[in-house]
Amino acid sequence: MKTSIVTITYDKDLEFLKYNLKSIKKFCKGYHDNVVIIDDHENDCIETQRYLDSIEQKYFINKEAKHVKRGYVRQQYMKLLSDLYVPTDTDYICHIDADSIFKKEHTPDRFFKNNKPLLVKNRYSKLLPHLQKIGHPIEGVKRWQDTTSEILNFNVEFEFMFRMPLVYPKNLSKLVRKYIEGINESAPLVDVLKDLPIMSEYNVMGAYAHQYTHEDFFWIDRWENPELAVETNYDDIFGHYSSRAIDQPDRYVDLNVKGNELDRIVTDDQ
């Protein structure tokens, strides 16, 4: 099985991307390829492109993404075209974000069980009451359920972003793309998404897979198999960080501080 890594990014994430790429080089063994995708929206990837050229990192520029008005949705649109940018003999795509950092040496096998990629499903009817019980706002999570159901035109019962990175068969993004276009009178995906204020690409792909390509994954129900959900987590090899001190304090890293956590991860001997 050949697994390629895909990262979507832009200039505001460049400093995190530098750590991302260093961590991939240091810790990711046995992957088929590592690809970065940017767009040409109002020159907001110019510095990133210069950096990628300077280190001879493989990347592609999506020329249609600029028509998607919201940057948050724009990068998700590009993820739904990821199959177009990896080598044709890729079997699986490992999706990470620019602020995603690998922390320990591993191979893609870590993300599979019984030769199928792991995917956790998180039932909303259990998740939402749980969040309310612990005093966590539910509006954002409920929004994922509502918008994913609207985009896919069926009732979505599960949340599919319980953990990262997320690994899917390469052809899943193509299937999702064609499905969304098909239920929108064959309109190109960019036209379907260009005015959306928000969406969740991982929930869209997960919900489609659960509905239509169920046999391609090893599914873990967070509530029915909590031990397995914990046993198969990736916390020891992977971290998702943030530059947003107020909004995401538990993930925040100040990259201006010398010797910060990410410095230690990519420079310390393991």
Side-chain angles (χ1 to χ4, degrees), residues 33-50:
D33 203 2
N34 175 36
V35 175
V36 175
I37 307 172
I38 59 177
D39 64 74
D40 59 351
H41 172 264
E42 297 182 358
N43 296 321
D44 59 7
C45 294
I46 293 296
E47 293 304 316
T48 300
Q49 185 175 359
R50 287 174 180 158

Side-chain angles (χ1 to χ4, degrees), residues 33-260:
D33 203 2
N34 175 36
V35 175
V36 175
I37 307 172
I38 59 177
D39 64 74
D40 59 351
H41 172 264
E42 297 182 358
N43 296 321
D44 59 7
C45 294
I46 293 296
E47 293 304 316
T48 300
Q49 185 175 359
R50 287 174 180 158
Y51 177 74
L52 297 175
D53 285 332
S54 74
I55 63 170
E56 299 183 345
Q57 165 64 43
K58 184 176 182 179
Y59 69 93
F60 296 92
I61 303 174
N62 183 289
K63 298 290 187 179
E64 298 297 321
K66 61 189 172 189
H67 300 298
V68 179
K69 296 176 182 177
R70 291 289 302 275
Y72 186 72
V73 178
R74 191 178 308 126
Q75 57 93 14
Q76 298 186 37
Y77 162 75
M78 289 191 283
K79 282 184 182 135
L80 293 179
L81 278 79
S82 57
D83 58 288
L84 302 177
Y85 297 109
V86 295
T88 56
D89 59 345
T90 293
D91 299 305
Y92 294 93
I93 297 177
C94 176
H95 287 273
I96 61 174
D97 294 329
D99 52 8
S100 301
I101 310 297
F102 289 99
K103 304 187 292 185
K104 185 178 179 181
E105 185 173 309
H106 68 285
T107 68
D109 292 343
R110 180 63 186 274
F111 309 122
F112 291 79
K113 192 173 182 66
N114 295 348
N115 293 317
K116 295 181 179 182
L118 294 160
L119 198 55
V120 177
K121 58 181 185 178
N122 203 344
R123 189 178 292 274
Y124 283 110
S125 62
K126 298 279 190 179
L127 174 61
L128 295 173
H130 170 72
L131 293 176
Q132 287 182 310
K133 183 178 180 179
I134 63 175
H136 191 286
I138 67 169
E139 291 76 12
V141 176
K142 186 65 171 65
R143 179 177 56 189
W144 297 143
Q145 182 181 23
D146 294 341
T147 57
T148 304
S149 298
E150 182 178 353
I151 289 169
L152 293 177
N153 199 32
F154 61 78
N155 183 46
V156 174
E157 299 181 36
F158 299 91
E159 188 266 353
F160 298 96
M161 291 199 306
F162 184 67
R163 66 164 62 113
M164 287 186 68
L166 289 157
V167 176
Y168 310 109
K170 186 191 77 170
N171 71 332
L172 180 63
S173 52
K174 180 179 179 179
L175 292 173
V176 171
R177 198 163 64 242
K178 296 302 181 185
Y179 172 83
I180 293 174
E181 292 175 344
I183 63 174
N184 285 277
E185 300 180 345
S186 298
L189 183 66
V190 67
D191 290 341
V192 178
L193 303 185
K194 64 183 178 65
D195 295 318
L196 285 185
I198 196 164
M199 68 173 285
S200 170
E201 79 284 42
Y202 296 134
N203 274 313
V204 167
M205 288 195 281
Y208 176 92
H210 192 263
Q211 185 88 348
Y212 295 111
T213 62
H214 197 274
E215 294 303 314
D216 290 345
F217 292 84
F218 186 94
W219 296 97
I220 300 174
D221 188 307
R222 179 187 175 187
W223 303 99
E224 293 182 5
N225 307 108
E227 296 85 3
L228 186 58
V230 172
E231 175 190 330
T232 58
N233 71 47
Y234 316 134
D235 291 347
D236 60 323
I237 64 169
F238 184 82
H240 197 190
Y241 300 88
S242 175
S243 60
R244 296 155 61 184
I246 297 177
D247 296 335
Q248 298 171 332
D250 56 325
R251 292 166 43 193
Y252 174 70
V253 177
D254 185 349
L255 298 185
N256 293 315
V257 175
K258 186 175 181 180
N260 64 67

